[in-house]
C-alpha cells in the first residue's frame, strides 16, 4: 500500500491551518464570557446537569457544548471550543474547491480565511454564528466535490445552528436566482465549473436521494435531540426559522452605517482586491467571478434590508469576498517574464508611501480638525496618493503595464496584509489593552476579573477556600454574572427580604441595602458600552487608528456583611 507523498501544497495548507488554530485558540478562555455568550453557556450547563432549561434556537451549539461540560467540566475555554474548532476547520474548505477556482487561489483563500478579523472574532464567540458558517460551507463544498453523504450530514448539522444559517441559505438562494436572470450570452464559462450554482456539480445518481435524506435527517435528529436526552432541542431547531423570519419586523436598534463600517474598518485587503477582480471579471464576462460577485451582492442586500441586522450578519459577505480577492491576488504571484528590479522598485516606493500615509493619519488625530496644521496634513495625505498614481502610470508607460500592475499590487498587498493581521489581533481579543471592536456584541464586560477576585478573597478569608460563601445577586440581570458564580451557592432574586442577612450580595449601583445586618460595599465596573453617538471627528479617527473610544460604564456594588471582613474578626493584620 503506497502513501501519497507530502507536497508543498499540503505543507502550505497545514501552515494556514496552524495560523488559524493559533489565532482562534491562544488565550481562548482568558476573557470572561460576555452576557451574549453566557446566555448560551448557561443553557448548555443546564443540559449537562440534567435540568430542563428553556433552549434558544441554537441546539447544535448547546448540545455539543453540553457534552464537553459533562465530560470536562464547565469552563470559559470549553464554552468557546466548538466555535474555535469550526473556525479553524473552515480554513480547509478551499482544498475541496481548488479544482474549480485554481490551486493557487485556493491556497491564498485558505490563508485569507485564517487571518480574517471577522472570522477570528466569531470563532472566539461562544454560541456565535461560526458553527452555522462552517457547517453550511462544508455542505456546499462536499456537495460540489461529490461527497454527498458528508454533505447531507453537514446539512443536518447546519440546520441546528440557529437563525444565522438561514441568512446564509437565503443568501445562496438569492445569488442562485440572480444568476438565473443572466443569460448565457453574457457569461463566458471558464475552465472548470464555478462554485455557484450548485447544479454545476455531478448529478445525484438515481435512488440516492432517499439515502441522502436519511443522512441529513438522521444527523438532525441525533444531534438535535442529544440521543433523545434533550428532545426540546428539536423544537428549538424548528424555532430558529421562526426567529429568523420574525427578525425582519423587529428593529435591532443598530444603525446601518455602523454595521457596514465593519467592512472598510477591518476588510480593506479583501475589499481592495475583490473590487479589482470583479471589474476584471465583468470586462471579460467571466462566469466564476460574476457568480461570486452575485453571491457577495446577495449577502449584502440581505443585511441591508433586514431591520434586525447585526454586524455578525456580514460574516456571509466575507466568504465570497475573500474568494474573489484570492483569485485576484493569485495573479500577482507569477514573477516570470517581468523586470523584477522595476516591479520591486515600484513596490518599495508605494510601500514606504503607504506607511507614511498611516503615520500622517496618526499625526492628524492629535490636531484640532479646524486648525491650519490639520488641513495641511490632509493636503499632504492627498498628495501621497497622487504621487502613487503618477508613479504607477509612469512605470506602466515607460516600461510595461505588467511591471506597473505587479509592483503596484504588492505595494498595496503587503501593508494591507499587516493591517489585516493587526485588526485580527484586536478582534480576537489578543491585544492589550483591550480595544472596542465592531465584531463583538455589546455590552462587553468591564472589570469582571476584579469582581471575582474580591469575592474569592472574602471567601478564602472566612472559609479557607474559594467560592465557598453563599452569594446573592439582587436586581442585576446579567447572564455573565450568573455564569461567573455558577459554582458558588448562588441565589438570584429581584428584591431582598428585609430580614435576609446574606454573606455576599451584588446589587446595581445606587442601591442602599436596608437589612438588619451591617454591610460594606465596593462599586466595580461590570459592563461597558462604546459611546458611538457622542463620537466627534477626532474620536472617530482615534477609533480607526487605535480602536479606542469614550465608554459608558455600568457599575455594580459588591456588598460584604461586616462580620465577614478582616477587621471584624479576631485576626491580627500583618
Amino acid at each position: 500500500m503506497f502513501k501519497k507523498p507530502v507536497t508543498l501544497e499540503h505543507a502550505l495548507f497545514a501552515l494556514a491551518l496552524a495560523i488559524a488554530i493559533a489565532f482562534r485558540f491562544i488565550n481562548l478562555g482568558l476573557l470572561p464570557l460576555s452576557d451574549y455568550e453566557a446566555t448560551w453557556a448557561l443553557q448548555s450547563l443546564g443540559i449537562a446537569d440534567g435540568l430542563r432549561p428553556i433552549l434558544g434556537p441554537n441546539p447544535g451549539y448547546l448540545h455539543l457544548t453540553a457534552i464537553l461540560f459533562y465530560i470536562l467540566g464547565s469552563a470559559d475555554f470549553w464554552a468557546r471550543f466548538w466555535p474555535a474548532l469550526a473556525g479553524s476547520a473552515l480554513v480547509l474548505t478551499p482544498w475541496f474547491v481548488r479544482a474549480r477556482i485554481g490551486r493557487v487561489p485556493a491556497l491564498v483563500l485558505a490563508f485569507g480565511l485564517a487571518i480574517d478579523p471577522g472570522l477570528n472574532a466569531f470563532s472566539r464567540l461562544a454560541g456565535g454564528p461560526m458553527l452555522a458558517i462552517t457547517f453550511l460551507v462544508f455542505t456546499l463544498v462536499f456537495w460540489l466535490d461529490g461527497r454527498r453523504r458528508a454533505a447531507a450530514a453537514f446539512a443536518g448539522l447546519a440546520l441546528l445552528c440557529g437563525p444565522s444559517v438561514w441568512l446564509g441559505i437565503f443568501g445562496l438562494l438569492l445569488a442562485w436566482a440572480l444568476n438565473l436572470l443572466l443569460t448565457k450570452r453574457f457569461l463566458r464559462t471558464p475552465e472548470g465549473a464555478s462554485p455557484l450554482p450548485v447544479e454545476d456539480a455531478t448529478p445525484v445518481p438515481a435512488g440516492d436521494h432517499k439515502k441522502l435524506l436519511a443522512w441529513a435527517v438522521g444527523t438532525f435528529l441525533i444531534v438535535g435531540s442529544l440521543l433523545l436526552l434533550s428532545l426540546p432541542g428539536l423544537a428549538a431547531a424548528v424555532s430558529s426559522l421562526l426567529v429568523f423570519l420574525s427578525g425582519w419586523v423587529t428593529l435591532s436598534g443598530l444603525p446601518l452605517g455602523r454595521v457596514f463600517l465593519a467592512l472598510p474598518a477591518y476588510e480593506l485587503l479583501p475589499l481592495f482586491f475583490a473590487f479589482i477582480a470583479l471589474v476584471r471579471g465583468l470586462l471579460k464576462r467571466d462566469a466564476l467571478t460574476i457568480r461570486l460577485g452575485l453571491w457577495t451582492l446577495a449577502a449584502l442586500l440581505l443585511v441591508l434590508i433586514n431591520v434586525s441586522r447585526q454586524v455578525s450578519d456580514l460574516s456571509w459577505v466575507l466568504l465570497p469576498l475573500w474568494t474573489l480577492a484570492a483569485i485576484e491576488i493569485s495573479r500577482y504571484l507569477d514573477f516570470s517574464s517581468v523586470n523584477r528590479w522595476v516591479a520591486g522598485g515600484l513596490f518599495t516606493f508605494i510601500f514606504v508611501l503607504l506607511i507614511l500615509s498611516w503615520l500622517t493619519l496618526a499625526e492628524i488625530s492629535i490636531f484640532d480638525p479646524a486648525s491650519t496644521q490639520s488641513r495641511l496634513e490632509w493636503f499632504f495625505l492627498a498628495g501621497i496618493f497622487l504621487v502613487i498614481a503618477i508613479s504607477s502610470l509612469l512605470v506602466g508607460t515607460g516600461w510595461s503595464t505588467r511591471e506597473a500592475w505587479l509592483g503596484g499590487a504588492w505595494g498595496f498587498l503587503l501593508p494591507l496584509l499587516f493591517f489585516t493581521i493587526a485588526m485580527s489581533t484586536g478582534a480576537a481579543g489578543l491585544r492589550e489593552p483591550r480595544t472596542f471592536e465592531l465584531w463583538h456584541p455589546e455590552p462587553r464586560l468591564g472589570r469582571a476579573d476584579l469582581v471575582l477576585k474580591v469575592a474569592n478573597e472574602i471567601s478564602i478569608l472566612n472559609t479557607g477556600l474559594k467560592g465557598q460563601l453563599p452569594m446573592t445577586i439582587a436586581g442585576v440581570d446579567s447572564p455573565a454574572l450568573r455564569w461567573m458564580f455558577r459554582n458558588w451557592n448562588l441565589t438570584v432574586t429581584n428584591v431582598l427580604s428585609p430580614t435576609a442577612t446574606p454573606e455576599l450580595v451584588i446589587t446595581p449601583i445606587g442601591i442602599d441595602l436596608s437589612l438588619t445586618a451591617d454591610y460594606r460595599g465596593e462599586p466595580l465596573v461590570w459592563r461597558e458600552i462604546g459611546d458611538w453617538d457622542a463620537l466627534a471627528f477626532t474620536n472617530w479617527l482615534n477609533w480607526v487608528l487605535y480602536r479606542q473610544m469614550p465608554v459608558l460604564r455600568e457599575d455594580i456594588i459588591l456588598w460584604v456583611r461586616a462580620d465577614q471582613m478582616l477587621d471584624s474578626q479576631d485576626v491580627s493584620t500583618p
Side-chain angles (χ1 to χ4, degrees), residues 24 27-45 58 61-62 65 69 75-84 120-130 427-429 434 439-445 448 478-484 486 527:
R24 288 153 175 82
N27 292 335
L28 183 61
L30 182 62
L31 295 178
L33 300 189
S34 64
D35 283 331
Y36 172 86
E37 297 176 286
T39 300
W40 299 107
L42 286 170
Q43 295 176 39
S44 292
L45 183 59
N58 193 354
Y61 168 82
L62 295 176
T65 304
F69 285 171
D76 294 349
F77 179 88
W78 298 120
R80 295 177 175 134
F81 175 80
W82 289 114
N120 276 314
F122 300 143
S123 298
R124 299 173 69 94
L125 191 67
M130 202 64 239
R434 290 179 60 196
W439 300 112
H440 298 167
E442 290 189 333
R444 74 175 192 180
L445 295 188
S478 174
L481 196 57
R482 299 197 299 273
W483 170 261
M484 179 173 292
R486 64 193 179 278
R527 286 186 281 220

XYZ file of all heavy atoms in Angstrom, residues 24 27-45 58 61-62 65 69 75-84 120-130 427-429 434 439-445 448 478-484 486 527:
550
model
N -7.232 31.383 16.859
C -8.517 31.037 17.461
C -8.396 30.414 18.847
O -9.347 30.484 19.629
C -9.289 30.112 16.519
C -9.825 30.850 15.290
C -9.974 29.928 14.102
N -10.598 30.578 12.957
C -9.961 31.346 12.083
N -8.670 31.576 12.227
N -10.610 31.897 11.060
N -5.151 31.817 24.307
C -5.882 32.551 25.355
C -7.394 32.511 25.139
O -8.096 33.483 25.440
C -5.413 34.004 25.428
C -3.984 34.138 25.926
O -3.485 33.264 26.631
N -3.324 35.211 25.548
N -7.894 31.397 24.644
C -9.311 31.305 24.320
C -10.193 31.485 25.561
O -11.273 32.068 25.478
C -9.607 29.948 23.658
C -11.037 29.711 23.180
C -11.430 30.738 22.122
C -11.187 28.300 22.628
N -9.746 30.974 26.691
C -10.547 31.087 27.904
C -10.110 32.195 28.830
O -10.565 32.248 29.987
N -9.251 33.101 28.351
C -8.713 34.149 29.227
C -9.770 35.185 29.581
O -9.948 35.535 30.758
C -7.515 34.822 28.555
C -6.818 35.918 29.365
C -6.242 35.333 30.654
C -5.730 36.589 28.547
N -10.481 35.709 28.588
C -11.503 36.720 28.851
C -12.782 36.051 29.342
O -13.187 35.006 28.816
C -11.795 37.524 27.577
C -10.642 38.374 27.029
C -11.064 39.063 25.736
C -10.185 39.395 28.055
N -13.439 36.612 30.342
C -14.697 36.028 30.821
C -15.794 36.132 29.769
O -15.749 37.005 28.885
C -15.031 36.862 32.059
C -14.302 38.155 31.859
C -13.063 37.826 31.086
N -16.765 35.246 29.843
C -17.871 35.254 28.891
C -18.704 36.513 29.048
O -19.018 36.943 30.168
C -18.768 34.034 29.094
C -18.149 32.645 28.926
C -19.248 31.593 28.937
C -17.339 32.541 27.649
N -19.086 37.109 27.928
C -19.991 38.253 27.949
C -21.415 37.777 28.202
O -21.694 36.571 28.265
C -19.919 38.996 26.612
O -20.395 38.157 25.554
N -22.333 38.728 28.338
C -23.742 38.361 28.552
C -24.271 37.529 27.390
O -25.016 36.564 27.592
C -24.598 39.624 28.718
C -24.452 40.239 30.103
O -24.187 39.496 31.052
O -24.598 41.470 30.227
N -23.897 37.905 26.164
C -24.345 37.160 24.991
C -23.860 35.716 25.052
O -24.629 34.767 24.847
C -23.825 37.836 23.720
C -24.060 37.046 22.456
C -25.263 37.153 21.765
C -23.079 36.185 21.961
C -25.480 36.425 20.600
C -23.288 35.453 20.805
C -24.485 35.575 20.132
O -24.698 34.837 18.990
N -22.584 35.536 25.358
C -22.016 34.195 25.400
C -22.556 33.388 26.578
O -22.847 32.191 26.451
C -20.493 34.284 25.496
C -19.827 34.933 24.303
C -18.337 35.077 24.507
O -17.935 35.957 25.291
O -17.569 34.306 23.906
N -22.668 34.038 27.737
C -23.103 33.325 28.937
C -24.542 32.835 28.809
O -24.907 31.824 29.416
C -22.963 34.228 30.161
N -25.369 33.534 28.026
C -26.744 33.080 27.814
C -26.766 31.674 27.233
O -27.533 30.805 27.672
C -27.482 34.051 26.875
O -27.502 35.356 27.468
C -28.899 33.588 26.615
N -25.896 31.417 26.258
C -25.827 30.091 25.643
C -25.125 29.094 26.553
O -25.535 27.929 26.665
C -25.106 30.178 24.303
C -25.780 31.061 23.314
C -25.378 32.300 22.904
C -27.004 30.796 22.625
N -26.260 32.819 21.997
C -27.274 31.918 21.807
C -27.892 29.735 22.619
C -28.392 31.997 20.988
C -29.020 29.807 21.803
C -29.259 30.923 20.995
N -24.047 29.536 27.197
C -23.282 28.618 28.044
C -24.114 28.119 29.222
O -24.003 26.943 29.617
C -22.016 29.317 28.547
N -24.950 28.983 29.803
C -25.788 28.564 30.925
C -26.804 27.506 30.494
O -27.118 26.587 31.257
C -26.507 29.778 31.518
C -25.639 30.727 32.358
C -26.409 31.998 32.683
C -25.160 30.038 33.630
N -27.326 27.632 29.270
C -28.261 26.616 28.779
C -27.558 25.279 28.599
O -28.099 24.218 28.949
C -28.877 27.081 27.460
C -29.756 28.314 27.589
C -30.268 28.802 26.249
O -30.624 28.014 25.374
N -30.311 30.111 26.057
N -26.333 25.308 28.056
C -25.569 24.060 27.907
C -25.252 23.451 29.262
O -25.307 22.223 29.430
C -24.266 24.338 27.145
O -24.529 24.678 25.798
N -24.932 24.285 30.229
C -24.639 23.782 31.569
C -25.878 23.143 32.194
O -25.776 22.102 32.865
C -24.130 24.924 32.444
C -23.710 24.548 33.867
C -22.595 23.509 33.844
C -23.278 25.789 34.646
N -30.536 27.438 18.969
C -29.199 27.042 18.525
C -28.823 25.715 19.179
O -27.811 25.614 19.881
C -28.183 28.129 18.894
C -26.846 27.937 18.197
O -26.626 26.936 17.514
N -25.938 28.875 18.385
N -25.054 24.076 18.889
C -24.037 24.538 19.843
C -24.350 24.055 21.251
O -23.451 23.589 21.977
C -23.948 26.069 19.835
C -23.147 26.602 20.991
C -21.760 26.636 20.942
C -23.773 27.023 22.164
C -21.019 27.089 22.019
C -23.036 27.478 23.251
C -21.660 27.509 23.169
O -20.930 27.950 24.251
N -25.604 24.155 21.671
C -25.982 23.822 23.045
C -25.662 22.367 23.372
O -25.101 22.065 24.429
C -27.466 24.100 23.258
C -27.904 25.568 23.152
C -29.410 25.679 23.297
C -27.207 26.415 24.199
N -21.770 21.541 23.216
C -21.080 22.119 24.373
C -21.476 21.415 25.660
O -20.650 21.251 26.569
C -21.388 23.628 24.473
O -21.037 24.262 23.241
C -20.591 24.272 25.600
N -19.125 19.984 28.688
C -19.318 20.341 30.089
C -19.507 19.083 30.946
O -19.024 19.016 32.077
C -20.533 21.254 30.243
C -20.296 22.670 29.779
C -21.347 23.566 29.683
C -19.033 23.109 29.440
C -21.138 24.872 29.268
C -18.808 24.416 29.005
C -19.869 25.289 28.919
N -16.167 25.478 31.749
C -15.087 26.463 31.760
C -15.279 27.367 30.558
O -15.903 26.989 29.559
C -13.713 25.779 31.709
N -14.730 28.572 30.642
C -14.851 29.509 29.528
C -14.219 28.941 28.255
O -14.728 29.160 27.149
C -14.189 30.841 29.889
C -14.901 31.560 31.025
O -16.012 31.132 31.390
O -14.349 32.550 31.551
N -13.115 28.222 28.412
C -12.452 27.632 27.245
C -13.367 26.648 26.537
O -13.508 26.695 25.297
C -11.160 26.926 27.688
C -10.415 26.264 26.561
C -9.480 26.963 25.827
C -10.660 24.936 26.225
C -8.791 26.360 24.781
C -9.976 24.323 25.192
C -9.035 25.037 24.466
N -14.005 25.753 27.291
C -14.863 24.752 26.662
C -16.134 25.375 26.109
O -16.707 24.860 25.139
C -15.199 23.642 27.655
C -13.993 22.904 28.133
C -13.550 22.792 29.411
C -13.049 22.191 27.312
N -12.390 22.056 29.457
C -12.055 21.667 28.183
C -12.935 21.945 25.955
C -10.990 20.920 27.724
C -11.863 21.196 25.498
C -10.909 20.693 26.364
N -16.576 26.481 26.682
C -17.752 27.174 26.141
C -17.471 27.726 24.744
O -18.382 27.852 23.922
C -18.183 28.303 27.078
N -16.219 28.045 24.472
C -15.846 28.609 23.165
C -15.165 27.585 22.262
O -14.737 27.931 21.153
C -14.902 29.793 23.378
C -15.535 30.983 24.108
C -14.524 32.065 24.349
N -15.123 33.255 24.929
C -14.610 33.922 25.955
N -13.480 33.522 26.511
N -15.221 34.998 26.425
N -15.031 26.360 22.722
C -14.227 25.373 21.994
C -14.788 25.066 20.614
O -14.058 25.097 19.615
C -14.132 24.082 22.819
C -13.417 22.973 22.095
C -12.041 22.947 22.056
C -14.133 21.970 21.443
C -11.370 21.924 21.385
C -13.472 20.945 20.772
C -12.092 20.923 20.737
N -16.073 24.735 20.521
C -16.630 24.314 19.225
C -16.599 25.426 18.182
O -16.232 25.170 17.024
C -18.048 23.774 19.409
C -18.092 22.455 20.108
C -18.622 22.179 21.338
C -17.567 21.201 19.623
N -18.462 20.852 21.659
C -17.823 20.230 20.625
C -16.926 20.812 18.462
C -17.449 18.900 20.482
C -16.542 19.486 18.317
C -16.802 18.547 19.306
N -16.971 26.683 18.521
C -16.801 27.736 17.511
C -15.355 27.908 17.064
O -15.100 28.141 15.872
C -17.318 28.988 18.237
C -18.287 28.472 19.247
C -17.701 27.174 19.705
N -14.398 27.794 18.010
C -12.991 27.935 17.632
C -12.549 26.790 16.718
O -11.813 27.000 15.740
C -12.120 27.982 18.888
N -12.131 35.499 12.793
C -11.433 35.230 14.048
C -12.278 35.643 15.246
O -12.313 34.946 16.262
C -10.093 35.968 14.074
C -8.990 35.198 13.380
O -8.825 34.004 13.593
N -8.238 35.861 12.534
N -12.960 36.776 15.135
C -13.805 37.232 16.244
C -14.952 36.260 16.484
O -15.253 35.890 17.626
C -14.343 38.629 15.945
N -15.622 35.818 15.425
C -16.758 34.899 15.575
C -16.307 33.527 16.067
O -17.059 32.831 16.746
C -17.503 34.758 14.245
C -18.052 36.057 13.741
C -18.059 36.340 12.386
C -18.551 37.004 14.610
C -18.556 37.543 11.912
C -19.049 38.218 14.141
C -19.048 38.483 12.796
N -15.081 33.134 15.701
C -14.584 31.836 16.129
C -14.307 31.791 17.630
O -14.219 30.707 18.210
C -13.295 31.483 15.372
O -13.536 31.387 13.985
N -14.154 32.940 18.245
C -13.880 33.006 19.684
C -15.118 33.455 20.458
O -14.997 33.921 21.594
C -12.711 33.966 19.930
C -11.414 33.542 19.246
C -10.361 34.610 19.378
N -9.896 34.759 20.745
C -8.832 34.143 21.261
N -8.118 33.326 20.501
N -8.471 34.334 22.503
N -16.284 33.297 19.846
C -17.534 33.751 20.447
C -18.409 32.546 20.760
O -18.849 31.829 19.854
C -18.260 34.694 19.476
C -19.450 35.472 20.007
C -19.011 36.481 21.054
C -20.160 36.183 18.862
N -18.658 32.297 22.037
C -19.495 31.167 22.433
C -20.910 31.352 21.909
O -21.518 32.404 22.104
C -19.517 31.042 23.959
N -21.418 30.335 21.237
C -22.776 30.395 20.717
C -22.946 31.256 19.492
O -24.065 31.472 19.030
N -21.843 31.753 18.925
C -21.934 32.645 17.785
C -22.254 31.926 16.486
O -22.560 30.729 16.468
N -22.156 32.659 15.368
C -22.565 32.104 14.074
C -21.533 31.214 13.409
O -21.769 30.744 12.299
C -22.785 33.372 13.237
C -21.802 34.357 13.800
C -21.727 34.065 15.272
N -20.403 30.952 14.072
C -19.318 30.249 13.393
C -19.688 28.830 13.010
O -19.312 28.336 11.935
C -18.078 30.238 14.283
C -16.792 30.021 13.514
S -16.459 31.368 12.378
C -16.405 30.487 10.827
N -9.550 41.977 17.101
C -10.844 41.312 17.025
C -10.854 39.997 17.795
O -11.889 39.588 18.332
C -11.224 41.065 15.567
N -9.706 39.326 17.871
C -9.617 38.072 18.601
C -9.385 38.261 20.091
O -9.332 37.283 20.835
C -8.483 37.215 18.014
N -9.242 39.522 20.529
C -9.018 39.786 21.946
C -7.616 39.469 22.406
O -7.382 39.268 23.599
N -7.298 46.081 25.889
C -8.429 45.664 25.066
C -8.984 46.847 24.284
O -8.985 47.980 24.749
C -9.524 45.069 25.946
C -9.174 43.727 26.558
C -10.309 43.232 27.420
N -11.523 43.064 26.639
C -12.739 42.946 27.170
N -12.881 42.981 28.487
N -13.786 42.789 26.407
N -17.047 43.727 15.770
C -17.491 42.340 15.637
C -18.028 41.784 16.947
O -18.722 40.773 16.950
C -16.340 41.464 15.145
C -15.774 41.849 13.822
C -14.541 42.356 13.584
C -16.409 41.767 12.539
N -14.365 42.595 12.250
C -15.496 42.239 11.574
C -17.667 41.342 12.103
C -15.796 42.294 10.217
C -17.962 41.397 10.743
C -17.032 41.863 9.825
N -17.685 42.393 18.071
C -18.103 41.866 19.364
C -19.469 42.411 19.753
O -19.701 43.627 19.671
C -17.088 42.251 20.453
C -15.730 41.702 20.223
N -14.614 42.112 20.911
C -15.279 40.751 19.360
C -13.552 41.456 20.498
N -13.928 40.625 19.551
N -20.395 41.561 20.187
C -21.695 42.066 20.648
C -21.541 42.871 21.937
O -20.773 42.497 22.828
C -22.513 40.782 20.883
C -21.500 39.704 21.084
C -20.315 40.085 20.258
N -22.237 43.992 21.995
C -22.202 44.819 23.194
C -23.390 44.483 24.083
O -24.424 44.020 23.600
C -22.208 46.299 22.811
C -20.910 46.744 22.153
C -20.834 48.260 21.967
O -21.911 48.897 21.851
O -19.722 48.798 21.960
N -23.276 44.768 25.414
C -22.123 45.366 26.086
C -21.025 44.339 26.343
O -21.282 43.145 26.404
C -22.718 45.863 27.405
C -23.833 44.917 27.675
C -24.410 44.560 26.341
N -19.811 44.824 26.494
C -18.705 43.961 26.891
C -18.511 44.101 28.393
O -18.961 45.064 29.016
C -17.431 44.328 26.151
C -16.776 45.613 26.641
C -15.446 45.847 25.946
N -14.680 46.909 26.589
C -13.493 47.320 26.183
N -12.935 46.760 25.118
N -12.841 48.279 26.814
N -17.839 43.130 28.993
C -17.593 43.171 30.430
C -16.455 44.132 30.749
O -15.510 44.274 29.974
C -17.265 41.780 30.953
C -18.387 40.735 30.869
C -17.984 39.468 31.613
C -19.705 41.271 31.402
N -14.655 42.390 35.242
C -15.238 41.156 35.765
C -14.220 40.370 36.571
O -14.564 39.715 37.567
C -15.774 40.310 34.616
N -27.925 39.851 34.542
C -26.689 39.639 33.796
C -26.376 38.153 33.746
O -25.938 37.571 34.748
C -25.526 40.402 34.446
O -24.307 40.082 33.808
N -26.594 37.500 32.587
C -26.192 36.090 32.456
C -24.710 35.876 32.739
O -24.327 34.839 33.288
C -26.545 35.760 31.009
C -27.604 36.748 30.635
C -27.268 38.000 31.384
N -23.877 36.854 32.372
C -22.440 36.715 32.613
C -22.138 36.641 34.108
O -21.232 35.920 34.534
C -21.683 37.883 31.991
N -22.889 37.378 34.917
C -22.688 37.356 36.359
C -23.116 36.008 36.941
O -22.438 35.440 37.802
C -23.469 38.497 37.004
C -23.100 38.889 38.434
C -21.637 39.264 38.546
C -23.988 40.032 38.908
N -24.220 35.485 36.445
C -24.664 34.163 36.912
C -23.680 33.080 36.481
O -23.433 32.125 37.215
C -26.063 33.854 36.373
C -27.124 34.839 36.841
C -28.524 34.274 36.646
N -28.832 33.978 35.264
C -29.337 34.852 34.400
N -29.571 36.107 34.783
N -29.603 34.502 33.157
N -23.131 33.205 35.276
C -22.146 32.226 34.814
C -20.870 32.307 35.655
O -20.285 31.273 36.010
C -21.825 32.479 33.345
C -20.661 31.686 32.830
C -19.373 32.118 32.684
C -20.655 30.316 32.429
N -18.573 31.123 32.202
C -19.345 29.993 32.038
C -21.636 29.335 32.349
C -18.977 28.740 31.580
C -21.276 28.076 31.886
C -19.975 27.790 31.510
N -20.450 33.499 36.001
C -19.216 33.664 36.757
C -19.301 32.987 38.123
O -18.322 32.409 38.601
C -18.901 35.159 36.922
C -17.639 35.440 37.713
S -17.224 37.180 37.710
C -16.783 37.407 35.995
N -21.326 30.420 38.884
C -22.092 29.199 38.677
C -21.719 28.097 39.660
O -22.543 27.228 39.973
C -21.905 28.693 37.239
C -20.469 28.281 36.924
C -20.247 28.099 35.434
N -18.866 27.736 35.106
C -17.875 28.606 35.001
N -18.098 29.897 35.224
N -16.653 28.192 34.697
N -20.087 46.421 33.236
C -20.281 46.402 31.782
C -19.863 47.731 31.178
O -19.945 48.773 31.821
C -21.744 46.098 31.443
C -22.134 44.661 31.656
C -23.539 44.353 31.182
N -24.553 44.780 32.100
C -25.665 44.085 32.393
N -25.866 42.914 31.818
N -26.563 44.548 33.215
